[in-house]
Amino acid sequence: MIAWDPNMEMMPEEGLKKLQFKLLKTLVYRLYSFSNFYHERMDAHGVHPDDIASLGDLGKLPFMYKTDLRDSYPDKIFTAEQEELVRYHVSSGTTGKPTVVGYTKHDLDMWTESLARALTSCGLGRGDVIQVSYGYGLFTGGLGLHYGAERIGASVVPTSVGNTERQIELMQDLRVTGICCTPSYLMHIGEAAKKMGVSIRDDTHLRTAILGAEPWSEQMRMRIEEEMGIKAYNIYGTSELSGPMFSECTEQNGIHMWSDICLVEILDPETDEPVAPGEQGEMVVTILQKEALPIIRYRTGDITSIDTTTCACGRTHPRIARLSGRVDDMLIIRGINVFPSQIEHALLGIPAVSGHFMIEVDRVGALDTMLVRVELNPEAFSDKINDLMAIRSMVAHTLKNALNVSVDVEIAEPGSLPRFEGKAKRVIDRREY
Amino acid sequence: MDPRAYTIKQISVFSENKPGRLMAIAGALEEESINILAFSIAEANGFGVVRALVDKPDAAFKKLNAMGFMVSFTDVIAVKMRDVPGGLFEMAKLLADAGINIEYSYAYSGRDAAVLILRVDQVESAVKAIIFRGGNLLKSEDFQEKP
């Protein structure tokens, strides 16, 4: 088994914890002394660096929110002088004001190191030819993976996004073995290749794909792997944390979150209390080594669970599961957290209905009710009410099993529910608070 | 006797239970000059199934399908009843004696007799049993165009 930094990646958990505490302590003292933002935030929260006496005291520190970054546009939270900054990345601002992330030389180095470990754990290295088909520029994906791939000694083909036919030609001509891009772009490449008469499986050397920057499912992975004859790995990161940073290893059993780089908490979004390993909650991240834009207890809004056991690959750092949704999408129905993505996932397994659905939430007296409207697939139509009622109860039963909360189901005509081009808005919440 | 001569194509249309749906279906049939001989609506929570005997079932299927409705054909039989008190009883007894289970049924008062439309699980054996017992069944060709 190959690791980029075996001593670090296989370090026993106890050693990692000690290291994390040391880094956290240093971070908190540094920020209390040099960052107005963190100094004021900690004072307001009634916590002093001296109160952090163990990793367990992490919960005493205040959270940082995306709005903090927006409010500090462009660089009010930065703790490095402008002359220390060697790069900026800026978010697209699709959901509000853009956020700016600055990097010192050391920040770029840690980011690159994190990706060097990630790419190596996916079986890539010297001798590989890696096509980076994430966008280059203000978006973090392209340059992030570019430097990561260079660091492991691979040959990089910096194609960025677009001009797909040319990408496919280069993939063949330069004998590309790995590709980094969004899963939807890889699907697009696959379709374009087919039109050109090129089989990714038979006519290219591609065997590894590092996919992320958008939600994708296990089903999509299976489809990509089967159709293209490659292995597809999930990568995670957000621009606030630097960019794409962490990935699965060849075990494909969770994304390794390097303990010397970040401290991960999974919290119940309602109570802010930690949930048990394996349980779902919001991921809150502290980046232990970051100079220009330090991040303590950043509420990512991403819902996942954590596995702290040693991976079958031998790496000791904890792993997070594929993201199951966003806190913004989370509904609380009778005290139970429900994500539209869970419903979508459950419906995809039922042939009698399509994947289009709408959720309507109401409050009757003190009780929350949730209605899920689904479209019947024409093949499942029967003129007997009993058959239709059976489909309805089967859907309700499947959803109840998936969500742990009972659901009303309404069967709708095919094509009658709204379709979404951008971000889907599948929830109508009529409860009054 | 060919029992298939007595099987009649009914169109079944899935419809959400909300204002305007039946109007849309009926309007579409009118546009195509399709005559509805009998129909019923079966309703459940939030949705229903509109079932109809029409003179041009294929044209009706095509039209409604093109409008995005879920439509299917179901084979039913149409039994003539005497349009007098006891007419339904006679027919129900005949079906019971023949051991025919009715999945659903609706009736209309036709020109020369009342007609009971039946959806049964075994169409052909039902046809044979009814005729064997002296029942009177309508044929598809009595009121439906050939496809």
Side-chain angles (χ1 to χ4, degrees):
Chain A
M1 175 247 327
I2 305 157
W4 176 252
D5 183 354
N7 288 339
M8 179 56 75
E9 293 172 49
M10 318 294 173
M11 187 187 285
E13 198 185 344
E14 203 176 313
L16 287 176
K17 294 249 184 256
K18 272 188 194 156
L19 176 62
Q20 283 191 309
F21 177 64
K22 200 178 98 190
L23 291 168
L24 177 67
K25 193 88 183 156
T26 312
L27 177 72
V28 173
Y29 272 110
R30 177 165 68 83
L31 293 185
Y32 194 75
S33 313
F34 296 111
S35 159
N36 288 335
F37 172 82
Y38 279 105
H39 188 100
E40 284 164 18
R41 191 71 42 119
M42 283 168 68
D43 278 353
H45 207 69
V47 60
H48 186 269
D50 290 341
D51 299 331
I52 308 303
S54 74
L55 272 185
D57 292 330
L58 179 67
K60 293 178 179 170
L61 294 167
F63 294 118
M64 181 186 198
Y65 299 87
K66 179 139 194 153
T67 48
D68 292 323
L69 294 171
R70 288 198 183 124
D71 296 347
S72 317
Y73 183 88
D75 55 1
K76 290 192 208 85
I77 308 187
F78 287 12
T79 48
E81 295 299 320
Q82 188 271 319
E83 64 221 43
E84 299 296 324
L85 300 176
V86 294
R87 197 192 296 168
Y88 292 104
H89 280 287
V90 184
S91 77
S92 59
T94 43
T95 56
K97 215 166 158 189
T99 53
V100 179
V101 180
Y103 302 79
T104 64
K105 191 169 177 304
H106 179 257
D107 290 338
L108 286 187
D109 191 52
M110 289 312 294
W111 181 14
T112 302
E113 191 66 13
S114 185
L115 278 175
R117 291 186 206 165
L119 293 171
T120 307
S121 76
C122 294
L124 293 166
R126 205 178 155 80
D128 274 298
V129 181
I130 300 180
Q131 184 168 332
V132 177
S133 304
Y134 280 117
Y136 278 65
L138 290 174
F139 174 65
T140 51
L143 285 167
L145 280 148
H146 180 102
Y147 284 97
E150 279 190 354
R151 182 159 295 183
I152 61 172
S155 316
V156 180
V157 188
T159 48
S160 194
V161 189
N163 211 348
T164 307
E165 290 194 8
R166 177 96 176 110
Q167 297 225 8
I168 294 162
E169 283 168 18
L170 286 172
M171 185 185 286
Q172 290 184 284
D173 296 345
L174 301 175
R175 291 178 296 277
V176 166
T177 56
I179 188 165
C180 307
C181 60
T182 62
S184 57
Y185 191 57
L186 185 59
M187 300 283 278
H188 179 67
I189 288 178
E191 281 159 18
K194 236 179 249 169
K195 275 189 200 143
M196 292 164 68
V198 174
S199 155
I200 300 283
R201 176 192 290 274
D202 300 326
D203 305 330
T204 75
H205 289 77
L206 192 70
R207 58 180 172 82
T208 307
I210 311 290
L211 308 176
E214 68 187 16
W216 60 303
S217 63
E218 206 54 39
Q219 284 97 320
M220 193 153 178
R221 160 150 48 203
M222 271 150 58
R223 194 169 144 197
I224 287 170
E225 292 195 338
E226 274 167 27
E227 279 179 13
M228 301 189 178
I230 61 172
K231 283 283 181 191
Y233 299 104
N234 194 7
I235 189 166
Y236 176 78
T238 72
S239 61
E240 298 84 42
L241 311 182
S242 280
M245 286 191 99
F246 310 103
S247 83
E248 297 175 313
C249 63
T250 49
E251 297 294 325
Q252 294 184 320
N253 188 22
I255 294 168
H256 286 274
M257 303 292 286
W258 313 120
S259 295
D260 55 321
I261 292 178
C262 72
L263 194 46
V264 178
E265 299 167 85
I266 308 291
L267 305 183
D268 182 321
E270 278 305 285
T271 63
D272 293 344
E273 290 299 317
V275 300
E279 277 180 31
Q280 295 225 321
E282 179 182 0
M283 178 161 60
V284 173
V285 174
T286 300
I287 299 288
L288 291 166
Q289 305 194 41
K290 209 155 181 277
E291 292 179 340
L293 179 55
I295 298 282
I296 290 183
R297 301 197 85 202
Y298 181 69
R299 312 259 333 206
T300 62
D302 291 323
I303 300 290
T304 183
S305 61
I306 198 162
D307 184 346
T308 51
T309 60
T310 298
C311 180
C313 73
R315 289 176 178 82
T316 46
H317 301 238
R319 284 160 289 145
I320 57 161
R322 186 183 284 282
L323 306 184
S324 62
R326 298 266 317 152
V327 167
D328 333 329
D329 299 333
M330 188 182 78
L331 286 163
I332 301 168
I333 309 291
R334 276 169 263 155
I336 293 174
N337 300 342
V338 171
F339 297 96
S341 56
Q342 292 174 285
I343 293 174
E344 182 169 307
H345 192 258
L347 293 179
L348 285 173
I350 307 175
V353 298
S354 79
H356 299 283
F357 65 97
M358 285 296 291
I359 302 166
E360 295 180 21
V361 185
D362 280 289
R363 181 164 287 157
V364 181
L367 199 67
D368 298 328
T369 61
M370 180 165 71
L371 171 71
V372 177
R373 305 183 64 216
V374 294
E375 283 180 7
L376 193 61
N377 272 333
E379 302 77 49
F381 174 48
S382 155
D383 68 309
K384 286 196 267 178
I385 294 285
N386 278 354
D387 295 348
L388 297 173
M389 295 300 277
I391 291 173
R392 183 171 163 267
S393 14
M394 184 261 292
V395 172
H397 188 74
T398 308
L399 289 178
K400 174 156 195 209
N401 279 347
L403 309 174
N404 288 319
V405 64
S406 34
V407 176
D408 261 338
V409 171
E410 197 174 285
I411 294 187
E413 292 170 29
S416 67
L417 296 179
R419 302 295 196 262
F420 303 96
E421 278 184 2
K423 206 171 146 48
K425 287 194 175 58
R426 300 196 191 276
V427 181
I428 300 167
D429 195 338
R430 284 186 286 257
R431 290 176 294 186
E432 284 172 19
Y433 297 94
Chain B
M1 189 261 306
D2 181 4
R4 275 169 302 178
Y6 296 97
T7 56
I8 294 167
K9 265 187 192 170
Q10 168 201 277
I11 56 163
S12 311
V13 188
F14 181 85
S15 168
E16 283 173 53
N17 198 351
K18 61 186 184 196
R21 299 313 281 156
L22 182 59
M23 185 190 80
I25 295 169
L29 296 180
E30 190 209 348
E31 240 172 66
E32 299 294 303
S33 305
I34 294 166
N35 194 23
I36 304 170
L37 300 142
F39 96 112
S40 82
I41 301 177
E43 96 285 359
N45 298 39
F47 67 88
V49 178
V50 175
R51 300 154 177 160
L53 285 194
V54 297
D55 58 350
K56 288 178 265 185
D58 291 293
F61 183 96
K62 214 169 135 194
K63 173 75 178 177
L64 292 169
N65 203 37
M67 289 169 71
F69 278 104
M70 249 188 302
V71 198
S72 69
F73 285 130
T74 311
D75 283 337
V76 295
I77 51 179
V79 198
K80 272 192 194 172
M81 303 181 281
R82 294 197 305 134
D83 200 356
V84 294
L88 177 61
F89 171 75
E90 282 171 19
M91 199 41 58
K93 183 170 187 313
L94 185 151
L95 296 168
D97 291 346
I100 294 166
N101 189 45
I102 302 166
E103 293 182 343
Y104 61 74
S105 167
Y106 49 105
Y108 75 98
S109 205
R111 246 158 292 178
D112 48 351
V115 179
L116 186 66
I117 295 154
L118 301 170
R119 158 84 139 115
V120 294
D121 51 356
Q122 310 230 357
V123 176
E124 293 198 4
S125 48
V127 167
K128 283 182 194 162
I130 291 168
I131 290 181
F132 176 76
R133 284 169 172 77
N136 200 349
L137 286 165
L138 287 178
K139 287 185 180 177
S140 157
E141 65 192 35
D142 292 341
F143 53 90
Q144 282 184 331
E145 276 184 10
K146 286 243 150 61

